[in-house]
Amino acid sequence: PLARREVVVNWGDFGRAQRSLARKYNVVLIPKRVMLRVLAADDATVDRIMAQDRRLVDVIDESEEVARVFQRYNLVSAPVVDEAGRLGAGGVVVYAAGFAEAPGEEHGPALQAALVAAAARHDLPVVGPNGNGLVAVHSRAPMWGDAVTLGPPGGIALITQSGNVGVNALALRGGPRFHTVVSGGNQAVLDASALLSHLAASDGVRVAALYLESDGDGAELASALARCLDLGVRVVVLKGGRSEA
């Protein structure tokens, strides 16, 4: 059985396995939920749990490269943000999930804190993580996590904490004409208030529509709304949910 022949580790233990186990054991890297199922089965073999399009990873490979192979992009988001800042990028959109929003992700909060710290080092605006991204319809520039067909631009800026709301809004045909659509996700760096304050001052924005799932910083939101009033931008807010769930 796998658990008797191999050393089975999850993401949190991979670095330690690299340092201490590589010379003595074959290290099998699998997700925690799969590991629990494997350890409970007497006949679990590598062939039974491994995808047929298997990827071989050397135990001395860098952890960031291993994360990319397994599409665990939350593990490499902070280094990417840091690199973008050093290269002088104007901003970053992070689609990856598995941060503070995921109760089953053991290291999620720490990964999000590292992403925020990387953005702060370079004063870099970041949309996300765990969001659909940004569509600048007026500039014909979709930085969006789903396929999107851009309609004619208009004067509405949509800021949503639900990616699905943004997806459905952009899919409407013959409906509202958008200037910009932003799906903020976890809002680790830029929250709805910061986005509203910025977009209100953008050329061509006449109306701001917000779908909010969390209250956020009330003082910051009030300040952003006051700026909209000063700039003559009308605001519509839909607050979803009454509980933390």
Side-chain angles (χ1 to χ4, degrees), residues 93-128:
V93 175
V94 181
Y95 307 118
F99 293 88
E101 85 287 348
E105 184 67 45
E106 181 180 357
H107 304 287
L111 291 171
Q112 183 158 312
L115 186 152
V116 172
R121 280 194 294 274
H122 305 284
D123 193 23
L124 192 65
V126 175
V127 174

CSV table of all heavy atoms in Angstrom, one decimal, residues 93-128:
chain,number,residue,atom,x,y,z
A,93,VAL,N,-3.8,41.9,-11.3
A,93,VAL,CA,-5.1,41.3,-11.1
A,93,VAL,C,-4.8,39.8,-10.7
A,93,VAL,O,-4.0,39.1,-11.4
A,93,VAL,CB,-5.9,41.3,-12.3
A,93,VAL,CG1,-7.2,40.5,-12.1
A,93,VAL,CG2,-6.3,42.7,-12.7
A,94,VAL,N,-5.3,39.4,-9.5
A,94,VAL,CA,-5.0,38.0,-9.0
A,94,VAL,C,-6.3,37.3,-9.1
A,94,VAL,O,-7.2,37.5,-8.3
A,94,VAL,CB,-4.4,38.0,-7.6
A,94,VAL,CG1,-4.2,36.6,-7.1
A,94,VAL,CG2,-3.1,38.8,-7.6
A,95,TYR,N,-6.4,36.3,-10.0
A,95,TYR,CA,-7.6,35.5,-10.0
A,95,TYR,C,-7.6,34.3,-9.1
A,95,TYR,O,-8.6,33.8,-8.7
A,95,TYR,CB,-7.8,34.9,-11.4
A,95,TYR,CG,-7.7,35.8,-12.6
A,95,TYR,CD1,-6.7,35.7,-13.5
A,95,TYR,CD2,-8.7,36.8,-12.7
A,95,TYR,CE1,-6.6,36.6,-14.6
A,95,TYR,CE2,-8.6,37.7,-13.8
A,95,TYR,CZ,-7.6,37.6,-14.7
A,95,TYR,OH,-7.5,38.5,-15.8
A,96,ALA,N,-6.4,33.9,-8.7
A,96,ALA,CA,-6.3,32.6,-7.9
A,96,ALA,C,-7.1,32.7,-6.6
A,96,ALA,O,-7.3,33.7,-6.0
A,96,ALA,CB,-4.8,32.4,-7.5
A,97,ALA,N,-7.6,31.5,-6.2
A,97,ALA,CA,-8.3,31.3,-4.9
A,97,ALA,C,-7.4,30.6,-4.0
A,97,ALA,O,-6.3,30.2,-4.3
A,97,ALA,CB,-9.6,30.6,-5.2
A,98,GLY,N,-7.9,30.3,-2.8
A,98,GLY,CA,-7.2,29.6,-1.8
A,98,GLY,C,-6.5,30.5,-0.8
A,98,GLY,O,-5.4,30.2,-0.3
A,99,PHE,N,-7.1,31.6,-0.5
A,99,PHE,CA,-6.5,32.6,0.4
A,99,PHE,C,-7.4,32.7,1.7
A,99,PHE,O,-7.9,31.6,2.2
A,99,PHE,CB,-6.4,34.0,-0.3
A,99,PHE,CG,-5.4,34.0,-1.4
A,99,PHE,CD1,-5.7,33.6,-2.7
A,99,PHE,CD2,-4.1,34.3,-1.1
A,99,PHE,CE1,-4.8,33.6,-3.7
A,99,PHE,CE2,-3.1,34.3,-2.2
A,99,PHE,CZ,-3.5,33.9,-3.4
A,100,ALA,N,-7.6,33.9,2.2
A,100,ALA,CA,-8.4,34.0,3.5
A,100,ALA,C,-9.8,33.5,3.3
A,100,ALA,O,-10.5,33.3,4.4
A,100,ALA,CB,-8.3,35.4,4.0
A,101,GLU,N,-10.3,33.4,2.1
A,101,GLU,CA,-11.7,33.1,1.9
A,101,GLU,C,-12.0,31.6,2.1
A,101,GLU,O,-13.1,31.1,2.2
A,101,GLU,CB,-12.2,33.5,0.5
A,101,GLU,CG,-11.9,32.5,-0.6
A,101,GLU,CD,-10.5,32.4,-1.0
A,101,GLU,OE1,-9.7,33.3,-0.6
A,101,GLU,OE2,-10.1,31.5,-1.8
A,102,ALA,N,-10.9,30.8,2.1
A,102,ALA,CA,-11.0,29.3,2.1
A,102,ALA,C,-10.8,28.7,3.5
A,102,ALA,O,-9.6,28.6,3.9
A,102,ALA,CB,-10.1,28.7,1.1
A,103,PRO,N,-11.8,28.3,4.2
A,103,PRO,CA,-11.6,27.7,5.5
A,103,PRO,C,-10.8,26.4,5.5
A,103,PRO,O,-10.2,26.1,6.5
A,103,PRO,CB,-13.0,27.5,6.1
A,103,PRO,CG,-13.9,27.5,4.9
A,103,PRO,CD,-13.2,28.4,3.9
A,104,GLY,N,-10.9,25.7,4.4
A,104,GLY,CA,-10.1,24.5,4.3
A,104,GLY,C,-8.7,24.6,3.9
A,104,GLY,O,-7.9,23.6,3.9
A,105,GLU,N,-8.3,25.8,3.6
A,105,GLU,CA,-6.9,26.1,3.1
A,105,GLU,C,-6.1,26.5,4.3
A,105,GLU,O,-6.2,27.6,4.8
A,105,GLU,CB,-6.9,27.2,2.1
A,105,GLU,CG,-5.5,27.5,1.5
A,105,GLU,CD,-5.0,26.3,0.7
A,105,GLU,OE1,-5.7,25.8,-0.1
A,105,GLU,OE2,-3.8,26.0,0.9
A,106,GLU,N,-5.3,25.6,4.8
A,106,GLU,CA,-4.6,25.8,6.1
A,106,GLU,C,-3.8,27.1,6.1
A,106,GLU,O,-3.7,27.8,7.1
A,106,GLU,CB,-3.7,24.6,6.4
A,106,GLU,CG,-2.9,24.7,7.7
A,106,GLU,CD,-2.1,23.4,7.9
A,106,GLU,OE1,-2.1,22.5,7.1
A,106,GLU,OE2,-1.3,23.4,8.9
A,107,HIS,N,-3.1,27.4,5.0
A,107,HIS,CA,-2.2,28.5,5.0
A,107,HIS,C,-2.8,29.7,4.2
A,107,HIS,O,-2.1,30.7,3.9
A,107,HIS,CB,-0.9,28.1,4.3
A,107,HIS,CG,-0.2,26.9,4.9
A,107,HIS,ND1,0.4,27.0,6.1
A,107,HIS,CD2,-0.1,25.6,4.5
A,107,HIS,CE1,0.9,25.8,6.4
A,107,HIS,NE2,0.6,24.9,5.5
A,108,GLY,N,-4.1,29.7,4.0
A,108,GLY,CA,-4.8,30.7,3.2
A,108,GLY,C,-4.5,32.1,3.8
A,108,GLY,O,-4.1,33.0,3.0
A,109,PRO,N,-4.8,32.4,5.1
A,109,PRO,CA,-4.6,33.7,5.6
A,109,PRO,C,-3.2,34.2,5.5
A,109,PRO,O,-2.9,35.4,5.2
A,109,PRO,CB,-5.1,33.5,7.1
A,109,PRO,CG,-6.1,32.4,7.0
A,109,PRO,CD,-5.5,31.5,6.0
A,110,ALA,N,-2.2,33.3,5.7
A,110,ALA,CA,-0.8,33.7,5.7
A,110,ALA,C,-0.5,34.0,4.2
A,110,ALA,O,0.3,35.0,4.0
A,110,ALA,CB,0.1,32.6,6.2
A,111,LEU,N,-1.0,33.3,3.3
A,111,LEU,CA,-0.7,33.6,1.9
A,111,LEU,C,-1.3,34.9,1.5
A,111,LEU,O,-0.6,35.7,0.7
A,111,LEU,CB,-1.3,32.5,1.0
A,111,LEU,CG,-0.7,31.1,1.1
A,111,LEU,CD1,-1.5,30.1,0.3
A,111,LEU,CD2,0.8,31.1,0.5
A,112,GLN,N,-2.5,35.3,2.0
A,112,GLN,CA,-3.0,36.6,1.7
A,112,GLN,C,-2.2,37.7,2.3
A,112,GLN,O,-2.0,38.7,1.7
A,112,GLN,CB,-4.5,36.6,2.1
A,112,GLN,CG,-5.2,37.9,1.8
A,112,GLN,CD,-6.7,37.8,1.7
A,112,GLN,OE1,-7.3,36.9,1.1
A,112,GLN,NE2,-7.4,38.7,2.4
A,113,ALA,N,-1.8,37.5,3.5
A,113,ALA,CA,-1.0,38.5,4.2
A,113,ALA,C,0.3,38.7,3.5
A,113,ALA,O,0.8,39.9,3.3
A,113,ALA,CB,-0.7,38.0,5.7
A,114,ALA,N,0.9,37.7,2.9
A,114,ALA,CA,2.2,37.8,2.1
A,114,ALA,C,1.9,38.6,0.8
A,114,ALA,O,2.7,39.4,0.4
A,114,ALA,CB,2.7,36.4,1.8
A,115,LEU,N,0.7,38.3,0.2
A,115,LEU,CA,0.4,39.1,-1.0
A,115,LEU,C,0.2,40.6,-0.7
A,115,LEU,O,0.7,41.4,-1.4
A,115,LEU,CB,-0.9,38.5,-1.6
A,115,LEU,CG,-1.4,39.0,-2.9
A,115,LEU,CD1,-2.2,37.9,-3.6
A,115,LEU,CD2,-2.3,40.3,-2.8
A,116,VAL,N,-0.5,40.9,0.4
A,116,VAL,CA,-0.7,42.3,0.8
A,116,VAL,C,0.6,42.9,1.1
A,116,VAL,O,0.9,44.1,0.7
A,116,VAL,CB,-1.6,42.3,2.0
A,116,VAL,CG1,-1.7,43.8,2.6
A,116,VAL,CG2,-3.0,41.9,1.7
A,117,ALA,N,1.5,42.2,1.8
A,117,ALA,CA,2.9,42.8,2.1
A,117,ALA,C,3.7,43.1,0.8
A,117,ALA,O,4.3,44.1,0.7
A,117,ALA,CB,3.6,41.8,3.0
A,118,ALA,N,3.6,42.2,-0.1
A,118,ALA,CA,4.3,42.4,-1.4
A,118,ALA,C,3.8,43.6,-2.1
A,118,ALA,O,4.5,44.4,-2.7
A,118,ALA,CB,4.2,41.1,-2.3
A,119,ALA,N,2.4,43.8,-2.1
A,119,ALA,CA,1.8,44.9,-2.8
A,119,ALA,C,2.3,46.2,-2.1
A,119,ALA,O,2.5,47.3,-2.7
A,119,ALA,CB,0.3,44.8,-2.8
A,120,ALA,N,2.3,46.2,-0.7
A,120,ALA,CA,2.6,47.4,0.0
A,120,ALA,C,4.1,47.8,-0.2
A,120,ALA,O,4.4,49.0,-0.2
A,120,ALA,CB,2.4,47.1,1.5
A,121,ARG,N,5.0,46.8,-0.4
A,121,ARG,CA,6.4,47.2,-0.6
A,121,ARG,C,6.6,48.0,-1.9
A,121,ARG,O,7.5,48.8,-1.9
A,121,ARG,CB,7.2,45.9,-0.8
A,121,ARG,CG,7.6,45.2,0.5
A,121,ARG,CD,8.7,44.2,0.3
A,121,ARG,NE,8.2,43.0,-0.5
A,121,ARG,CZ,7.6,42.0,0.0
A,121,ARG,NH1,7.3,41.9,1.3
A,121,ARG,NH2,7.3,41.0,-0.8
A,122,HIS,N,5.7,47.9,-2.8
A,122,HIS,CA,5.9,48.6,-4.1
A,122,HIS,C,4.7,49.6,-4.3
A,122,HIS,O,4.6,50.1,-5.4
A,122,HIS,CB,5.9,47.6,-5.3
A,122,HIS,CG,7.0,46.5,-5.1
A,122,HIS,ND1,8.3,46.8,-5.3
A,122,HIS,CD2,6.9,45.2,-4.7
A,122,HIS,CE1,9.0,45.7,-5.1
A,122,HIS,NE2,8.2,44.7,-4.7
A,123,ASP,N,3.9,49.8,-3.3
A,123,ASP,CA,2.7,50.7,-3.5
A,123,ASP,C,1.9,50.3,-4.7
A,123,ASP,O,1.6,51.1,-5.5
A,123,ASP,CB,3.2,52.1,-3.5
A,123,ASP,CG,2.0,53.1,-3.3
A,123,ASP,OD1,1.0,52.7,-2.8
A,123,ASP,OD2,2.1,54.2,-3.8
A,124,LEU,N,1.6,49.0,-4.8
A,124,LEU,CA,1.1,48.4,-6.1
A,124,LEU,C,-0.4,48.1,-5.9
A,124,LEU,O,-0.8,47.4,-5.0
A,124,LEU,CB,1.8,47.1,-6.4
A,124,LEU,CG,1.6,46.5,-7.8
A,124,LEU,CD1,2.1,47.5,-8.9
A,124,LEU,CD2,2.3,45.2,-7.9
A,125,PRO,N,-1.3,48.7,-6.7
A,125,PRO,CA,-2.7,48.3,-6.6
A,125,PRO,C,-3.0,46.9,-7.1
A,125,PRO,O,-2.5,46.5,-8.1
A,125,PRO,CB,-3.4,49.4,-7.5
A,125,PRO,CG,-2.3,49.8,-8.5
A,125,PRO,CD,-1.0,49.7,-7.7
A,126,VAL,N,-3.7,46.1,-6.3
A,126,VAL,CA,-4.0,44.7,-6.6
A,126,VAL,C,-5.5,44.5,-6.6
A,126,VAL,O,-6.1,44.8,-5.5
A,126,VAL,CB,-3.3,43.8,-5.7
A,126,VAL,CG1,-3.7,42.3,-6.0
A,126,VAL,CG2,-1.8,43.9,-5.8
A,127,VAL,N,-6.1,44.0,-7.6
A,127,VAL,CA,-7.5,43.5,-7.6
A,127,VAL,C,-7.5,42.0,-7.3
A,127,VAL,O,-6.8,41.3,-8.0
A,127,VAL,CB,-8.2,43.8,-9.0
A,127,VAL,CG1,-9.6,43.2,-9.0
A,127,VAL,CG2,-8.2,45.3,-9.3
A,128,GLY,N,-8.3,41.6,-6.3
A,128,GLY,CA,-8.4,40.2,-5.9
A,128,GLY,C,-7.7,40.0,-4.5
A,128,GLY,O,-7.6,41.0,-3.8
